[in-house]
């Protein structure tokens, strides 16, 4: 081999070494092109997708687990809003990406790292409800020991035979561009039949 061949080999090895050693820095500034999304779920009291509470009574405590999975490419700040509604009140609009206008009763604020998950138990109790003919009114609801006045009325559903309400969870993410939380177009709900 002549001197020019050694220079070519040396230069090639040197360039490969630079690329290999700088790849973590390049990946920091040039993120991978994978899809970024979040997961939101509800599990039953045994942390399984079963045995969800359905027929509920005044004074009884019920439990579920709510969870968030992060696949956003980095640490993400989430807000999980717990809301309560009857059958006629609005859910979030998934097509328009708009949250329900109902006020949150309870909130979780959590940071979740990329490819990690967060989960928490949610205990809820109907503290006060009355039946008035063909309607029921849930007056007070407790979530994780905190009481809320809800005054939500449901009419008898003759097709399905019950007074139906829903506890649902909305997922919000913190957006640094607007310095606030924005609805992340994810929600899950749990139907309840109020037995008074």
């Amino acid at each position: 081999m002549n001197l020019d061949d050694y220079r070519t080999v040396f230069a090639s090895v040197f360039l490969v070494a630079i690329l290999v050693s700088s790849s973590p820095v390049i990946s920091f500034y040039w993120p991978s092109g994978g899809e970024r999304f979040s997961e939101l779920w509800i599990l039953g009291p045994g942390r399984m997708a079963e045995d969800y509470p359905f027929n509920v009574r005044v004074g009884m405590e019920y439990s579920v687990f709510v969870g968030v999975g992060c696949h956003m490419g980095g640490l993400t700040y989430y807000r999980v809003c717990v809301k309560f509604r009857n059958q006629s009140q609005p859910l979030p609009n998934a097509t328009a990406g708009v949250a329900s206008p109902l006020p949150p009763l309870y909130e979780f604020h959590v940071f979740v790292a990329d490819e990690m998950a967060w989960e928490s138990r949610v205990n809820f109790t109907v503290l006060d409800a009355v039946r008035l003919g063909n309607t029921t009114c849930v007056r007070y609801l407790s979530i994780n020991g905190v009481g809320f006045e809800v005054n939500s009325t449901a009419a008898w559903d003759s097709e399905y035979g019950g007074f139906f309400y829903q506890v649902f969870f909305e997922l919000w993410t913190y957006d640094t561009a607007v310095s606030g939380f924005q609805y992340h177009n994810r929600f899950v709900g749990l139907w309840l039949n109020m037995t008074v």
Side-chain angles (χ1 to χ4, degrees), residues 116-171:
M116 299 298 288
W118 163 87
E119 206 171 77
S120 180
R121 178 186 296 271
V122 179
N123 299 316
F124 63 92
T125 305
V126 175
L127 298 174
D128 184 28
V130 294
R131 181 170 177 181
L132 307 165
N134 284 336
T135 63
T136 60
C137 180
V138 174
R139 295 179 179 170
Y140 293 95
L141 182 71
S142 167
I143 300 174
N144 288 346
V146 180
F148 300 94
E149 184 176 353
V150 291
N151 288 321
S152 184
T153 302
W156 174 258
D157 186 323
S158 57
E159 183 178 352
Y160 296 104
F163 298 101
F164 297 108
Y165 294 90
Q166 191 175 31
V167 171
F168 66 101
F169 302 85
E170 290 178 344
L171 188 62

Side-chain angles (χ1 to χ4, degrees), residues 79-91:
R79 178 173 76 176
V80 179
C81 297
V82 185
K83 298 184 177 185
F84 183 76
R85 73 180 202 96
N86 63 30
Q87 282 181 288
S88 64
Q89 292 173 306
L91 279 170

